Amino acid sequence: MGFVEVKTSFEQLLVEQSYVDKLNEMGIGEPTPIQEEAIPTLLQGKDAIIQSQTGTGKTLAYLLPALQKIDPLQKQLQVVVVVPTRELGMQILQEIEKLTQGTQLRSQSLIGGAAVVRQVEKLKLHPHIVVGTPGRLLELIKMRKITLHHVRMAIVDEVDQVFELGSMNEVEAILKGMLRSSQTVFVSATIPASIEQAAQKWMKEPAILKINPSQRTAETLEHCYFVCEERERIDTLRRLVRLINPASAIVFINATADIAEVVGKLQYVGLSVEALYGEAAKQERAKVMGNFRERKFQLLLATDIAARGLDIEGVTHVFHLDPAINAEYYLHRVGRTGRMGRKGTAISIVTPKELFILDKFEKQLGITIAPKAMYEGKIVDPSQDRSASTMRTRREAARSPRGAAPVRGTSPSTRQASAPEARINSAAPVRSVDPSSSAPRSNGNGSGSGRTLSPAAQKAQRERDRKSKGAPRWLKAKQQDKE
C-alpha cells in the first residue's frame, strides 16, 4: 500500500480566511515549501533570515504574516518593507493591494526618484504598511514625516542587493529607529555569510530558513550557451530570437552606459525591444514595465539592478548578452524565468575567451550549462559536428563527380569517407599544364579550346559567368557537365 502525500493548506498555516479567499482568487491554492516554513515562524513573532530560490513565493511568505499583524483600527505605521529598486517596490505594493482590496488596510510606496512632496501629502492618509527604498525612507524619517515607534515588523527584501548598493548604513539607521520588540526579517535568494554575520547586530536569535540550499536554481530551468565572436553578439541574439520566437524574454547586459546603444542596434535589426535601467525617469520606467507585462514588445533589455526580484508572468527565456559578473548575479538573472514550477530557458551568448566563466558558474551553482549551435533553422548539439564549414564540405564531397581531397575543417569521419574515392581516382591520368604555354586560358566552360565564339555566343557566355559568380565549386562543375 503506497503512501498518500498530504498537502499542507494555507488554513493549516493559520492564514486568515479572508486572505485564503484572496489567494484563491489569484489562482494560488497551496503554499510553496518556503511559505510552509516561513509563515508559521513569522506569525510567532520570530526574527528570520529567509533564503530560497528565485520564483518560489518568498514575497507571500513574509507578506501574509505581516498583514495579519496589522491592526487596521490604529492609524500608525506598523510594517515597513525595504527594497533595492523602484520596480521591485511597485511589484510588492501591487501584491499588497490585491490582498487588502476591500479592507481598511492602507498601503503606500516611498520610492526614491518620485516627488517627495506628493509622498508627504499621501502620508496624511496614515498608511499601515509602506514599501520603500532605504534613502527615501530615511529622508522622510529625518523630516519627521514618518515615525517608526509603532512598527511591529521590518522586512528587507533582496537584502544582499540592498547592502551591495551601499545602503547598509541607511538600513541600520532605519532598524535603530524601531522598538527593540519589533520583528526583523531578511529575505533573498542569496544570503552571503557576511549578511548572516551582520544580521546578528539587529536580530534576536533569528530563525535561518533555507529550502534546498544546494539546489540554487529551479529544477525546471534549462541552461545552455552559444559561442560566437564579439562582433557577432547582436546578430547571434537576433538569430536566436527569430528561431525561438519567445512570447516574452529578458535580455541582460552589464554596463548601463551601453544600454541605449544596444537597444538601437537590436531595434535596427528588427527586434521588438525596450530598455529598463536605473537612470531613466520614473514615468518612463513605469511605462516600459507596464508595456512589457501587457506583451506590447517581446524583449526587455535590462541591467542586473533594474530587473532584480521582478516577477513578470509569462517570461519564458532569459538571454545573457553579456555574461553575468558572478554566480550570484547569474542566479538572480535566470530566476526571472522558470518561476513557481514553470519551465524556463537561460541562454548565454559568449565568446571563446569567456567559456571559463560558465565553467565557474557550473561548479559554484551545481548546474550544467550545455553547449548549443544553430543549424538549418534548428538548435542542435554542436558535438554532432554540424558546423557550416563541415556540412558544406560533406555536401561538396557527396555531389562532386571526382574524389576531391578533404579541405581544412573536414571532420575525421568525412576524411575517412573520402579516402576510397581518392584511391580510385589516383589511377586516372593527370594532365600537366605548362604555365608558359601560349594557349588560350580555359574559362571553365569549354571555351578555351582555341575556337572563336560568335558575338552572340560571347554575350551568352558572359551572362552565364555573371550568374555563376560566387557559386560553389560543385555547382560550377555541374553547369560545366551540362554543357
Side-chain angles (χ1 to χ4, degrees):
M1 185 175 177
F3 291 99
V4 177
E5 183 183 359
V6 179
K7 295 184 178 179
T8 306
S9 66
F10 282 107
E11 289 91 343
Q12 290 173 300
L13 299 178
L14 302 181
V15 175
E16 293 175 2
Q17 189 60 46
S18 61
Y19 292 121
V20 174
D21 294 340
K22 294 283 187 184
L23 292 170
N24 287 331
E25 290 175 16
M26 295 161 64
I28 302 171
E30 297 171 356
T32 63
I34 192 62
Q35 290 164 0
E36 288 184 28
E37 290 278 338
I39 290 172
T41 302
L42 298 186
L43 284 175
Q44 292 171 21
K46 293 181 179 178
D47 290 350
I49 296 174
I50 300 174
Q51 178 182 354
S52 182
Q53 305 159 17
T54 56
T56 53
K58 293 188 293 297
T59 303
L60 284 178
Y62 66 73
L63 274 186
L64 290 168
L67 293 174
Q68 288 190 198
K69 288 178 177 291
I70 294 173
D71 181 353
L73 299 179
Q74 295 185 16
K75 288 186 175 181
Q76 293 92 351
L77 176 63
Q78 298 169 52
V79 176
V80 174
V81 182
V82 184
V83 295
T85 66
R86 178 189 182 280
E87 282 69 33
L88 180 57
M90 297 309 297
Q91 180 177 289
I92 293 170
L93 187 68
Q94 287 171 4
E95 290 295 304
I96 294 170
E97 289 173 346
K98 288 178 188 175
L99 292 167
T100 60
Q101 188 176 10
T103 72
Q104 294 179 292
L105 264 66
R106 293 180 296 277
S107 56
Q108 183 178 346
S109 66
L110 299 173
I111 308 293
V116 70
V117 176
R118 289 185 183 179
Q119 291 178 351
V120 169
E121 188 66 26
K122 195 175 178 183
L123 281 170
K124 293 177 182 179
L125 297 174
H126 303 291
H128 298 108
I129 177 171
V130 297
V131 183
T133 48
R136 178 53 54 91
L137 285 169
L138 192 56
E139 180 183 358
L140 291 168
I141 291 169
K142 290 178 177 178
M143 292 170 64
R144 298 190 178 182
K145 298 302 178 181
I146 57 175
T147 177
L148 304 177
H149 299 324
H150 300 277
V151 170
R152 304 179 180 186
M153 188 175 188
I155 301 117
V156 185
D157 202 349
E158 299 289 353
V159 61
D160 57 328
Q161 184 73 9
V162 169
F163 287 176
E164 189 172 313
L165 292 173
S167 300
M168 182 182 286
N169 292 335
E170 292 166 339
V171 171
E172 187 170 11
I174 293 168
L175 296 178
K176 279 182 177 179
M178 300 186 335
L179 298 174
R180 288 192 175 184
S181 58
S182 299
Q183 186 177 4
T184 305
V185 182
F186 286 173
V187 185
S188 184
T190 51
I191 306 282
S194 58
I195 288 181
E196 288 192 23
Q197 293 168 4
Q200 304 303 321
K201 291 192 291 184
W202 305 312
M203 292 185 175
K204 305 173 291 291
E205 299 179 0
I208 311 295
L209 307 178
K210 296 183 178 182
I211 301 296
N212 293 336
S214 60
Q215 178 67 37
R216 305 290 298 281
T217 65
E219 295 176 348
T220 54
L221 265 178
E222 177 189 0
H223 307 264
C224 61
Y225 69 88
F226 292 78
V227 180
C228 68
E229 295 302 322
E230 180 66 39
R231 65 181 181 277
E232 297 170 344
R233 279 192 202 271
I234 297 291
D235 190 58
T236 300
L237 175 64
R238 177 192 65 81
R239 291 171 60 204
L240 282 168
V241 172
R242 289 279 184 263
L243 186 58
I244 299 168
N245 193 25
S248 186
I250 300 179
V251 180
F252 282 99
I253 65 171
N254 291 336
T256 303
D258 298 338
I259 204 161
E261 179 185 354
V262 174
V263 167
K265 288 180 179 179
L266 294 176
Q267 290 176 342
Y268 181 77
V269 297
L271 295 180
S272 173
V273 59
E274 296 291 342
L276 178 70
Y277 52 104
E279 284 72 16
K282 170 192 168 186
Q283 292 84 356
E284 184 181 341
R285 289 165 65 178
K287 183 180 177 182
V288 168
M289 285 305 303
N291 289 341
F292 187 55
R293 291 182 191 278
E294 294 172 16
R295 305 283 181 87
K296 291 185 178 179
F297 57 91
Q298 187 178 24
L299 304 178
L300 177 68
L301 182 69
T303 55
D304 291 282
I305 293 173
R308 186 66 175 258
L310 291 184
D311 183 8
I312 302 167
E313 190 173 345
V315 172
T316 57
H317 289 72
V318 164
F319 294 95
H320 308 269
L321 192 59
D322 293 328
I325 60 174
N326 58 39
E328 306 297 349
Y329 274 66
Y330 182 90
L331 193 68
H332 284 281
R333 284 182 176 189
V334 301
R336 300 314 106 215
T337 185
R339 300 175 72 84
M340 300 298 285
R342 301 183 187 94
K343 289 186 177 180
T345 305
I347 299 175
S348 297
I349 299 172
V350 295
T351 65
K353 292 181 179 179
E354 292 169 337
L355 286 172
F356 78 95
I357 299 174
L358 301 186
D359 291 338
K360 282 170 53 179
F361 293 169
E362 284 186 322
K363 293 173 184 175
Q364 293 172 6
L365 300 175
I367 59 176
T368 299
I369 308 176
K372 297 290 181 182
M374 287 178 281
Y375 172 70
E376 291 190 347
K378 295 180 181 178
I379 292 177
V380 299
D381 183 348
S383 65
Q384 297 175 20
D385 199 10
R386 287 193 176 102
S387 65
S389 60
T390 300
M391 298 309 294
R392 184 166 58 248
T393 302
R394 291 176 183 172
R395 286 196 299 269
E396 289 176 8
R399 289 168 177 158
S400 176
R402 304 176 183 85
V407 297
R408 186 176 174 220
T410 306
S411 65
S413 59
T414 308
R415 286 197 295 270
Q416 291 168 4
S418 302
E421 295 180 32
R423 284 197 295 271
I424 291 170
N425 285 282
S426 63
V430 179
R431 186 178 64 181
S432 60
V433 179
D434 183 358
S436 63
S437 172
S438 59
R441 188 175 61 187
S442 171
N443 59 17
N445 289 292
S447 60
S449 59
R451 73 172 181 242
T452 304
L453 297 177
S454 66
Q458 289 177 3
K459 183 178 180 181
Q461 179 61 52
R462 285 196 298 271
E463 183 64 18
R464 282 196 298 272
D465 289 346
R466 184 184 68 78
K467 288 183 177 180
S468 65
K469 185 178 181 181
R473 287 193 296 266
W474 63 265
L475 182 56
K476 291 179 180 178
K478 190 174 181 181
Q479 291 173 341
Q480 181 179 354
D481 291 342
K482 282 183 179 179
E483 295 177 0

